[in-house]
Amino acid sequence: MAVKSRVRKFVWRKAGALARTAGQLTADRRMVPSFLIVGTQRGGTTSLHKALAQHPAYLPPRFRKGVHYFDMDYHRGHAWFMGHFVSRTKAERAAQTLGHPVVTGEASPYYMWHPLAPQRIAKDLPGVKLIVLLRDPVERAYSGHAHEYARGFETEKFEQAVALEAERMAGEREKMAADPNYHSHAVRHLAHLGRGEYIDQLLHLESLVGRERLHVVDSHDYFADPARVFSGVCEFLGIPDVPGIVHDQHNARPRSPMSDELRSRLEDHFAPYDARLADWLGHQPSWRR
């Protein structure tokens, strides 16, 4: 079974590479992304994208949920990015069949946190809409650590990783901003607290694209009442709400409980960020209600 799985993955990667090469050659005839899901990591982005993929008006990128162009592959060029999306001819046919507009986009949850991605998005995709999912930052940190630890990118246990974060992150975002070719392991894989300091990331996005092009989804509310929240996403994207969408929680990892003492310390850390977030949202996020 392991051999068959590896063969399938190899064939899938090869097929994807060939499709992207063909797409790159016809980049000027492809549909410009209508929206991007830009964050947050471990916040439900996969679940929302899989729900959107069931919507007939959403034409997803080929072979992958997230293109990761604006963070990891910007050097490949705009034609490479556009090669992931459907042709305008196909989109026009789909819109005629459905009788309403269609959209395309992708979900790369590193975009919101990456120091350069927001500016690149604003410059290269004027008018694009951005969806942000937010999760209890304490739970997001714990889940993010488990995700990175399981993949071998994080080597320290959670409490020690949190204690080391300021030291590990010192100057790393500045280096990335100064040198587009610099890829920081710490910024991408070890920012367990930093990624959950949402308000500064949202204010940065707002300064670049405007508040009206940002749609924030509280992941707790999404999983508690998916139909209602998904309807709001559809309204934001300008596509009709449709029945029959199945909403599942994907990529959850089992974890041992966090100690009450550590949880309390982390809640205190995030409290000022959450207070500013509540002011910006106009209501309390779910984890502070």
Side-chain angles (χ1 to χ4, degrees), residues 221-279:
D221 292 344
Y222 173 52
F223 292 119
D225 190 358
R228 177 185 63 81
V229 174
F230 189 75
S231 178
V233 171
C234 291
E235 182 180 0
F236 174 68
L237 295 178
I239 57 178
D241 195 6
V242 295
I245 301 295
V246 177
H247 300 275
D248 289 322
Q249 191 165 353
H250 295 271
N251 294 342
R253 286 185 181 274
R255 305 185 305 277
S256 59
M258 189 188 309
S259 72
D260 291 342
E261 188 274 333
L262 179 55
R263 181 180 295 277
S264 178
R265 280 198 285 122
L266 295 184
E267 287 174 349
D268 288 346
H269 170 84
F270 286 117
Y273 298 99
D274 290 346
R276 292 168 57 215
L277 175 64
D279 287 342

Side-chain angles (χ1 to χ4, degrees), residues 13 90 121 156 178 205 207:
R13 285 196 297 268
K90 181 177 179 179
I121 292 168
E156 301 289 345
L205 290 173
S207 72

Side-chain angles (χ1 to χ4, degrees), residues 20-239:
R20 286 189 292 275
T21 299
Q24 188 171 351
L25 296 173
T26 58
D28 61 335
R29 299 197 292 273
R30 298 197 168 267
M31 188 179 182
V32 176
S34 322
F35 73 95
L36 302 173
I37 300 175
V38 298
T40 183
Q41 180 206 47
R42 310 304 293 170
T45 59
T46 298
S47 299
L48 179 60
H49 188 266
K50 285 184 177 292
L52 277 168
Q54 301 168 54
H55 197 300
Y58 174 48
L59 307 178
R62 294 178 295 175
F63 294 98
R64 57 199 303 188
K65 161 197 133 182
V67 178
H68 284 285
Y69 170 64
F70 293 103
D71 47 26
M72 302 305 298
D73 284 315
Y74 198 64
H75 62 282
R76 294 181 182 270
H78 192 68
W80 178 87
F81 173 64
M82 290 298 297
H84 289 79
F85 301 99
V86 301
S87 68
R88 290 199 299 273
T89 301
K90 181 177 179 179
E92 288 163 3
R93 284 200 303 264
Q96 288 174 358
T97 299
L98 293 169
H100 55 71
V102 296
V103 296
T104 190
E106 54 119 344
S108 296
Y110 189 25
Y111 285 166
M112 184 170 79
W113 174 241
H114 190 281
L116 296 176
Q119 294 96 320
R120 293 167 174 172
I121 292 168
K123 177 174 72 71
D124 292 356
L125 297 177
V128 74
K129 296 179 179 181
L130 305 180
I131 297 174
V132 177
L133 286 97
L134 302 182
R135 178 184 183 183
D136 178 344
V138 176
E139 288 299 321
R140 197 232 65 82
Y142 203 31
S143 176
H145 172 272
H147 179 67
E148 302 295 354
Y149 193 84
R151 296 195 299 163
F153 295 123
E154 172 63 88
T155 57
E156 301 289 345
K157 295 299 178 67
F158 181 61
E159 188 164 4
Q160 180 63 8
V162 167
L164 290 172
E165 184 166 329
E167 178 184 339
R168 288 165 148 185
M169 288 288 294
E172 289 296 290
R173 290 178 63 82
E174 292 77 9
K175 289 178 184 176
M176 292 179 73
D179 180 4
N181 296 315
Y182 179 71
H183 294 285
S184 171
H185 179 85
V187 171
R188 188 177 184 190
H189 299 293
L190 309 179
H192 311 305
L193 300 185
R195 283 182 183 256
E197 296 163 359
Y198 301 129
I199 183 58
D200 293 324
Q201 299 166 65
L202 289 167
L203 288 173
H204 185 46
L205 290 173
E206 181 184 32
S207 72
L208 293 167
V209 305
R211 182 69 177 87
E212 70 282 356
R213 281 164 49 198
L214 279 174
H215 185 70
V216 176
V217 173
D218 187 308
S219 65
H220 176 273
D221 292 344
Y222 173 52
F223 292 119
D225 190 358
R228 177 185 63 81
V229 174
F230 189 75
S231 178
V233 171
C234 291
E235 182 180 0
F236 174 68
L237 295 178
I239 57 178

